[in-house]
Every structure is written in structure tokens, then in C-alpha cells.
Amino acid sequence: GDSVTQMEGPVTLSEEAFLTINCTYTATGYPSLFWYVQYPGEGLQLLLKATKADDKGSNKGFEATYRKETTSFHLEKGSVQVSDSAVYFCALSYNQAGTALIFGKGTTLSVSS
Amino acid sequence: KAGVTQTPRYLIKTRGQQVTLSCSPISGHRSVSWYQQTPGQGLQFLFEYFSETQRNKGNFPGRFSGRQFSNSRSEMNVSTLELGDSALYLCATAREITGELFFGEGSRLTVL
């Protein structure tokens, strides 16, 4: 069945470091791909998404490109801030509306000043 | 605007009992989906309702059921509770087409 695999954390970085969180997927068809983020004490919220191959999603300095050939959707940010400390979840949707998601296990990012 | 509201926030049950959780969506959102979050399995999709009809279903046993009312509010029910049902149950709602889910804070169920 469809699945999402993301790198296990925790990931610990210093402020202004470069961030990559790897995400690969297995799916039949062409799902939409998402990154959701959960900040401490808050609920899950959408960070960015891509709906077809080669699409790049971006938001708040984060980017991810939908790579069909490598079945990947890696999250990157050029310079992380302390406020980026959170749990990041990669997900794919197996319905057109993007409302039924398969999530990865989540990666905890901790950024220190 | 008001967010997704889930009730109750915390509850404790014993094995064999049943539980009903409620989710009130953001105004205008007709899709309501439910997820189970545990430390071992992570976030797992239970089911999704749209306009009072179950539109998608995850891989959970029949003890897990749900429904949606005409005002888009949704309930999920777990019967014959097992210890392994202890989890955070998250509700997420969406406006059709946007592909963005808005999550509630969850209902934390502990089964003793």
C-alpha cells in the first residue's frame, strides 16, 4: 500500500544552518504531497504542498520539490531560526481533494541560538 | 474565525467500554477527517466524511465508526475499547478543493 518514509530525528541545528529533512514515498498513481508542521503547544498546520511532478511548494523560507523519478519530497530551508523548532510531517494524499492523508512518522527539529 | 473544536479534550475509559468523540468544523468546511496519533504508529488515517457520507476509509477495524450530521459536525465512536486504542484522536476539516487540512487540538483517550 501507499506509504511515506521520513528521516528519523531529532535533528539538532544551530541558528542559520541549512536544513534538509528527507522524505520518500510509495504510491500508486500520482498523489499530492504535503509538509505539515506542529509547533510546540499548537495543532498541526500545513506548511507547503505540491500537486504534481516537478512542482515546488514553498512557504516561510521552506521549499520542497515533487520528484517523481526518485519518489521524494525533501524539505529544505537555507537558514533556520530558533522559531522553526517543531515537528515536521511529510504526507501524501490518496484522494483528489487532499483530505485523506498518509503521514510519515514525523521529524523533530531543534534549533539553538 | 473559530477553529476546529474537539470534545472532550481528555477522557479515561476502561477496556470493553465504548467512547464517542465530537468534532465541530470551521464554518464552511464540509470535509471532516479523523486521525489516530500514537507514539509507535504515528498519525494514521481513520476515515473522512463529506456531506454526511463516508468518502474514504483507512485500515482500522469495524469497532471504529463515524458519522457526519447535516451541519457538518462529526462524531467518531470506538466500541469495545482495547488498551491499544489509547491515543490522541485528531479531527481535521477542509474546504473542498483547497487541499489544506485544519486540525483540532485532539481528544486524548486513555484506556485502562
Side-chain angles (χ1 to χ4, degrees):
Chain A
D2 295 358
S3 65
V4 174
T5 303
Q6 62 181 105
M7 60 188 287
E8 300 204 7
V11 173
T12 303
L13 296 172
S14 298
E15 212 166 18
E16 299 183 7
F18 184 85
L19 168 71
T20 300
I21 300 178
N22 291 335
C23 171
T24 58
Y25 67 90
T26 302
T28 52
Y30 304 100
S32 294
L33 300 174
F34 304 81
W35 278 99
Y36 276 81
V37 59
Q38 187 169 34
Y39 297 104
E42 298 184 18
L44 274 162
Q45 55 188 275
L46 177 66
L47 180 60
L48 54 84
K49 68 176 183 179
T51 57
K52 60 184 189 297
D54 299 325
D55 264 4
K56 178 186 282 188
S58 61
N59 186 25
K60 299 183 180 180
F62 290 89
E63 292 183 340
T65 302
Y66 190 143
R67 302 279 188 207
K68 190 161 74 76
E69 63 278 10
T70 55
T71 60
S72 65
F73 193 55
H74 305 320
L75 183 68
E76 296 182 335
K77 186 174 186 182
S79 176
V80 295
Q81 305 300 311
V82 172
S83 56
D84 294 326
S85 298
V87 183
Y88 293 81
F89 294 88
C90 184
L92 66 83
S93 68
Y94 61 90
N95 70 338
Q96 192 101 18
T99 52
L101 300 183
I102 295 172
F103 283 91
K105 292 277 180 81
T107 302
T108 299
L109 170 65
S110 179
V111 181
S112 58
S113 58
Chain B
K1 61 182 177 183
V4 178
T5 303
Q6 291 189 245
T7 56
R9 292 291 314 283
Y10 302 91
L11 65 166
I12 300 173
K13 294 286 188 179
T14 56
R15 277 180 298 176
Q17 287 187 310
Q18 73 163 12
V19 66
T20 298
L21 309 177
S22 178
C23 174
S24 293
I26 293 171
S27 177
H29 288 195
R30 293 195 295 161
S31 165
V32 178
S33 51
W34 290 88
Y35 294 81
Q36 182 195 65
Q37 187 174 26
T38 60
Q41 298 299 316
L43 274 158
Q44 294 185 281
F45 173 73
L46 282 154
F47 31 65
E48 183 217 3
Y49 286 86
F50 182 82
S51 292
E52 301 179 65
T53 301
Q54 186 179 86
R55 187 160 69 168
N56 292 281
K57 188 178 189 306
N59 190 28
F60 276 79
R63 298 186 298 107
F64 293 82
S65 63
R67 59 178 175 167
Q68 187 180 31
F69 303 95
S70 58
N71 61 358
S72 293
R73 190 177 72 84
S74 176
E75 290 181 345
M76 68 163 281
N77 182 277
V78 188
S79 62
T80 319
L81 284 166
E82 300 176 359
L83 295 179
D85 297 333
S86 295
L88 181 66
Y89 290 88
L90 292 169
C91 167
T93 75
R95 195 191 310 274
E96 189 73 333
I97 294 177
T98 63
E100 178 176 3
L101 292 180
F102 291 81
F103 283 82
E105 293 181 306
S107 293
R108 183 166 295 282
L109 170 65
T110 301
V111 182
L112 302 176

